[in-house]
Amino acid sequence: MAAAPVAAGSGAGRGRRSAATVAAWGGWGGRPRPGNILLQLRQGQLTGRGLVRAVQFTETFLTERDKQSKWSGIPQLLLKLHTTSHLHSDFVECQNILKEISPLLSMEAMAFVTEERKLTQETTYPNTYIFDLFGGVDEMIRLDEVPNLSSLVSNFDQQQLANFCRILAVTISEMDTGNDDKHTLLAKNAQQKKSLSLGPSAAEINQAALLSIPGFVERLCKLATRKVSESTGTASFLQELEEWYTWLDNALVLDALMRVANEESEHNQASIVFPPPGASEENGLPHTSARTQLPQSMKIMHEIMYKLEVLYVLCVLLMGRQRNQVHRMIAEFKLIPGLNNLFDKLIWRKHSASALVLHGHNQNCDCSPDITLKIQFLRLLQSFSDHHENKYLLLNNQELNELSAISLKANIPEVEAVLNTDRSLVCDGKRGLLTRLLQVMKKEPAESSFRFWQARAVESFLRGTTSYADQMFLLKRGLLEHILYCIVDSECKSRDVLQSYFDLLGELMKFNVDAFKRFNKYINTDAKFQVFLKQINSSLVDSNMLVRCVTLSLDRFENQVDMKVAEVLSECRLLAYISQVPTQMSFLFRLINIIHVQTLTQENVSCLNTSLVILMLARRKERLPLYLRLLQRMEHSKKYPGFLLNNFHNLLRFWQQHYLHKDKDSTCLENSSCISFSYWKETVSILLNPDRQSPSALVSYIEEPYMDIDRDFTEE
């Protein structure tokens, strides 16, 4: 819990400002220094020392500072909330404060959920940033401290359980404001060190508390897969939905209407009658153009809101510390087959020609419940499939048999996870969930915001140890041609979509001769190939995973004695392009040049690892000194000797610090590259060798006047 407020007039402190207030004002009697408070708060959150929350300031100070900084009164509200949110406090007052805070955060929260893929700044969500910075998240509920939590939750009906999930969306999430500094790996590492010393976070404790409740996950799975009444046909549903959609922009409105509907039903009244235009409004409900019965579509939209909340909670649990436990339970309770049965009629049902948007939004907005449900569904599939053998539950029995047949035809062992899959838990029907997703993916309009999420979900199925059978399953369904059409023929402009498609293409083609043959068949002219290269070279942060996969594939093919492989090597434009040393050096130079230790994030650290792959393969061929010498020449040609190799030296020092203490990341590197992690470590150590006589050490290629390799890049 947050620290108690400093008593302004107690003991020796009488008549003096608190230390926090003094620091924020810049000294005794000084004026506030612009930005000083925010900087100190952020530093305090990273270190656990000094200023960390609103309760360390006086209300008078916060009010005065708010006039200049325009914090929307959020710090003052948090201060009041802290004093009214303890046991035996006035919870009515607490509720009133929350009602003031809620509208300041609600729209930013919806935008954050739907735009999480984008790199964001604190200015994008100013209220959320201030709320987190002044300790709003530290007021977080500890579920393990709620008396009789298990019996309380077990007695919830389905509507209460769904509403409870709205609270859980906050209490089980590791809150992150989107501040760019917090997204750097340096800052994340510093935060992790702090977390280790403090023990499990409140979110982790809350997740464990939920999973200890008997039947909790099972009830979530049932709620997520509950079928919606089909008494209203699709056409009338869409027509009714368009009538009501303009003002149904709040889940609480739906709750209120459903309560009214239920009460009316109890009194044996068949419908709710709204006043005609011109009549006074009652209960805050909007007027309609005629006396209208509460439509079935409203109940369906209510169901969509429920499923959105439940899927979010399941997704968070899947990414938590108890991931394997959650995986086992949602497989056992048949979440995936249930979602498969809802796919066409609810999750990805057809839209009418006119876009359905929320009141106050436009047709390009991602904030509608219908659209958000799709995105949350795709995020769940991504989390479910990522590096887990349960991913094969996304298929049906016939499709699993197809995987076995592919392995048999190729004369390779069947994937062990396929053999171990419990056939009673897979999808039923003519198509599994993965196949359904591929079908809608290929029909998605070029400008659709779903393309990013669809590609990420499919890529997660391929991620990990490369499986030829998995790749061929997707290749036979035309996925490679679809990706190339989007990259080349439609000349996709979205960086997010391009990155997801390049990543997916890399996983689809890696080590697969058939995939390279298909690529060469589609990219069958120099003009097409040049467009493809233009897309790759336009942003290596987006395309470097594809470059890595092609480089690894080339190395493997060159060491195989096979007529089919030899044919592909002689004909494929892409392999011929990557095989040229000048091409590899160009990629290597740019990959190192676009990243620095201080700007490394989870998104661009792949550039560092791709550069290492190029050098590891050069080392295998005893060409590492040649590549380093060429980098040195390229530095000199740019008139900046030492700037690249010094930067690379610092990046590799960070690499050691980052990867040698994290099992998951090192396993991912090994599985995705088929290069043992020991070889990764050895190569980095050789490059960082301080002996200037070593032909494979970076320092041997940095002239003494330009040496700058001992810079301290750590963040306290």
Side-chain angles (χ1 to χ4, degrees):
M1 294 297 292
V6 177
S10 60
R14 180 183 298 273
R16 300 174 64 184
R17 298 171 183 168
S18 70
T21 304
V22 171
W25 278 89
W28 299 108
R31 294 190 302 171
R33 291 197 292 262
N36 191 40
I37 299 173
L38 304 188
L39 288 173
Q40 290 192 53
L41 281 168
R42 177 59 69 213
Q43 188 68 17
Q45 290 182 345
L46 289 174
T47 64
R49 300 187 297 272
L51 303 179
V52 290
R53 52 184 67 86
V55 296
Q56 292 175 277
F57 301 93
T58 65
E59 185 173 3
T60 302
F61 168 74
L62 291 174
T63 302
E64 183 64 28
R65 192 69 175 84
D66 197 1
K67 294 176 183 178
Q68 304 174 46
S69 303
K70 303 186 187 308
W71 292 333
S72 303
I74 291 174
Q76 300 94 301
L77 289 170
L78 289 173
L79 184 59
K80 292 179 181 178
L81 183 64
H82 180 266
T83 60
T84 58
S85 60
H86 299 288
L87 200 60
H88 309 303
S89 298
D90 183 355
F91 290 111
V92 174
E93 177 63 19
C94 182
Q95 187 178 30
N96 290 335
I97 297 170
L98 289 172
K99 286 180 179 179
E100 289 188 62
I101 294 177
S102 179
L104 297 173
L105 304 177
S106 58
M107 291 312 298
E108 289 184 6
M110 182 63 80
F112 185 74
V113 167
T114 56
E115 298 179 10
E116 186 180 343
R117 65 190 181 275
K118 299 177 181 176
L119 186 64
T120 56
Q121 302 285 342
E122 62 267 24
T123 52
T124 311
Y125 310 108
N127 291 341
T128 306
Y129 178 70
I130 294 300
F131 181 81
D132 173 62
L133 202 58
F134 279 91
V137 176
D138 297 329
E139 309 304 332
M140 184 182 286
I141 299 170
R142 282 278 299 267
L143 294 178
D144 61 328
E145 296 177 356
V146 177
N148 304 316
L149 176 69
S150 180
S151 60
L152 180 67
V153 174
S154 298
N155 288 324
F156 284 161
D157 60 30
Q158 285 190 313
Q159 180 167 329
Q160 290 171 327
L161 182 62
N163 289 332
F164 182 52
C165 285
R166 292 176 188 162
I167 300 173
L168 296 182
V170 176
T171 59
I172 66 174
S173 299
E174 297 288 358
M175 304 304 290
D176 195 311
T177 63
N179 179 21
D180 190 39
D181 287 340
K182 289 186 71 177
H183 279 286
T184 66
L185 294 184
L186 273 178
K188 285 180 178 290
N189 288 350
Q191 186 65 35
Q192 286 172 353
K193 288 180 182 178
K194 174 189 170 185
S195 299
L196 287 174
S197 64
L198 297 176
S201 67
E204 290 171 336
I205 292 171
N206 287 340
Q207 290 176 26
L210 288 175
L211 293 174
S212 69
I213 300 175
F216 176 72
V217 173
E218 181 179 12
R219 293 190 66 195
L220 289 187
C221 291
K222 287 181 178 178
L223 190 54
T225 58
R226 182 175 65 178
K227 291 185 178 180
V228 181
S229 172
E230 299 175 11
S231 59
T232 300
T234 303
S236 59
F237 159 69
L238 291 170
Q239 183 179 356
E240 289 174 351
L241 188 58
E242 287 176 336
E243 264 187 66
W244 292 90
Y245 217 60
T246 56
W247 59 276
L248 288 182
D249 55 356
N250 193 308
L252 296 178
V253 174
L254 285 168
D255 283 341
L257 288 169
M258 291 304 294
R259 283 197 299 271
V260 172
N262 291 335
E263 290 170 4
E264 293 288 346
S265 177
E266 290 175 4
H267 289 85
N268 297 319
Q269 295 183 6
S271 64
I272 296 177
V273 178
F274 292 96
S280 60
E281 295 186 11
E282 297 180 6
N283 300 322
L285 297 176
H287 295 156
T288 59
S289 59
R291 295 163 62 88
T292 311
Q293 181 179 356
L294 183 68
Q296 179 71 11
S297 59
M298 190 177 296
K299 297 181 180 179
I300 295 176
M301 185 53 65
H302 200 236
E303 189 73 19
I304 286 175
M305 295 300 297
Y306 278 1
K307 294 187 187 308
L308 172 60
E309 307 288 356
V310 172
L311 290 181
Y312 180 82
V313 170
L314 288 171
C315 190
V316 173
L317 292 175
L318 266 176
M319 296 185 292
R321 286 194 176 186
Q322 291 84 16
R323 184 189 185 210
N324 288 332
Q325 178 188 356
V326 177
H327 244 293
R328 178 183 56 77
M329 289 192 288
I330 64 177
E332 178 185 348
F333 303 133
K334 298 188 175 182
L335 174 69
I336 299 302
L339 293 176
N340 187 45
N341 293 332
L342 289 176
F343 188 86
D344 291 330
K345 293 179 180 177
L346 180 70
I347 298 173
W348 224 276
R349 63 178 186 274
K350 294 180 180 178
H351 290 290
S352 61
S354 59
L356 306 176
V357 297
L358 293 176
H359 180 64
H361 295 250
N362 60 54
Q363 62 183 8
N364 297 318
C365 182
D366 283 356
C367 295
S368 77
D370 208 40
I371 290 175
T372 309
L373 176 67
K374 289 180 171 63
I375 293 175
Q376 196 55 57
F377 164 76
L378 293 171
R379 292 178 67 189
L380 178 74
L381 290 192
Q382 179 183 356
S383 301
F384 183 81
S385 302
D386 192 17
H387 293 89
H388 203 285
E389 60 184 20
N390 273 356
K391 67 182 184 180
Y392 292 108
L393 298 182
L394 297 176
L395 310 182
N396 63 18
N397 275 298
Q398 183 178 350
E399 292 163 346
L400 285 172
N401 292 337
E402 184 180 340
L403 284 180
S404 299
I406 292 171
S407 298
L408 181 64
K409 183 178 179 180
N411 196 28
I412 58 176
E414 278 193 70
V415 177
E416 187 175 352
V418 174
L419 295 173
N420 294 336
T421 298
D422 187 340
R423 296 291 184 111
S424 68
L425 302 178
V426 302
C427 295
D428 49 17
K430 294 181 179 179
R431 292 180 295 275
L433 202 48
L434 179 62
T435 302
R436 290 182 188 274
L437 176 56
L438 290 173
Q439 288 179 326
V440 298
M441 182 179 179
K442 290 194 287 186
K443 296 176 183 178
E444 207 63 44
E447 69 282 0
S448 171
S449 61
F450 296 130
R451 282 193 171 202
F452 171 88
W453 298 105
Q454 290 167 337
R456 280 284 178 254
V458 177
E459 185 214 344
S460 69
F461 181 81
L462 290 172
R463 207 176 294 158
T465 304
T466 303
S467 165
Y468 174 80
D470 292 355
Q471 291 173 324
M472 292 306 301
F473 180 85
L474 297 175
L475 287 170
K476 289 170 65 176
R477 284 157 176 79
L479 179 59
L480 182 138
E481 290 78 9
H482 166 71
I483 296 171
L484 292 177
Y485 171 81
C486 294
I487 294 174
V488 176
D489 295 311
S490 69
E491 295 195 49
C492 176
K493 298 295 190 296
S494 166
R495 302 314 318 172
D496 295 318
V497 174
L498 269 178
Q499 184 185 71
S500 63
Y501 273 33
F502 278 132
D503 290 352
L504 175 55
L505 186 62
E507 291 295 335
L508 189 61
M509 296 180 66
K510 186 166 53 181
F511 307 136
N512 193 307
V513 174
D514 298 279
F516 279 91
K517 288 186 68 174
R518 284 175 176 257
F519 175 92
N520 216 41
K521 184 177 180 180
Y522 190 94
I523 307 296
N524 54 6
T525 67
D526 287 338
K528 276 190 173 182
F529 188 58
Q530 290 306 315
V531 173
F532 184 75
L533 291 184
K534 179 183 176 183
Q535 293 281 48
I536 286 181
N537 287 304
S538 63
S539 175
L540 276 182
V541 172
D542 300 324
S543 62
N544 82 88
M545 290 298 293
L546 174 63
V547 172
R548 186 193 307 182
C549 290
V550 176
T551 303
L552 286 165
S553 300
L554 173 67
D555 181 74
R556 176 174 291 191
F557 294 160
E558 288 177 336
N559 290 288
Q560 290 179 338
V561 181
D562 183 275
M563 289 297 295
K564 187 177 180 181
V565 172
E567 180 184 349
V568 169
L569 282 172
S570 65
E571 295 179 355
C572 183
R573 290 177 173 85
L574 184 57
L575 289 172
Y577 176 74
I578 293 292
S579 68
Q580 300 171 24
V581 173
T583 299
Q584 294 180 23
M585 294 309 304
S586 174
F587 280 135
L588 185 59
F589 187 92
R590 286 183 291 154
L591 285 167
I592 298 171
N593 193 38
I594 59 180
I595 51 176
H596 305 277
V597 171
Q598 290 77 11
T599 60
L600 277 179
T601 65
Q602 199 62 48
E603 180 185 19
N604 64 26
V605 71
S606 58
C607 294
L608 174 57
N609 290 321
T610 298
S611 67
L612 270 174
V613 165
I614 294 174
L615 292 177
M616 282 191 293
L617 298 181
R619 179 189 164 208
R620 278 183 178 176
K621 300 173 183 177
E622 299 183 349
R623 303 175 76 180
L624 184 55
L626 169 64
Y627 278 52
L628 296 180
R629 189 161 56 250
L630 289 174
L631 283 177
Q632 183 189 42
R633 290 178 185 173
M634 295 172 80
E635 275 187 331
H636 281 268
S637 70
K638 300 291 184 181
K639 310 299 183 186
Y640 289 106
F643 82 98
L644 187 86
L645 294 179
N646 278 313
N647 182 46
F648 194 37
H649 195 281
N650 286 331
L651 287 166
L652 293 180
R653 286 169 54 216
F654 173 81
W655 189 95
Q656 286 184 324
Q657 173 187 305
H658 181 71
Y659 282 104
L660 299 187
H661 299 89
K662 296 178 70 178
D663 292 337
K664 182 180 178 183
D665 279 345
S666 62
T667 302
C668 290
L669 288 178
E670 190 171 66
N671 290 341
S672 64
S673 65
C674 290
I675 298 175
S676 69
F677 190 61
S678 61
Y679 198 79
W680 285 80
K681 292 189 294 183
E682 288 170 9
T683 304
V684 172
S685 296
I686 288 171
L687 289 166
L688 292 179
N689 187 345
D691 182 4
R692 291 179 62 84
Q693 302 304 312
S694 170
S696 297
L698 285 174
V699 293
S700 300
Y701 301 89
I702 306 175
E703 297 171 31
E704 192 68 40
Y706 307 111
M707 189 78 69
D708 184 21
I709 62 173
D710 298 320
R711 184 176 300 172
D712 183 13
F713 52 74
T714 59
E715 272 189 20
E716 295 299 330

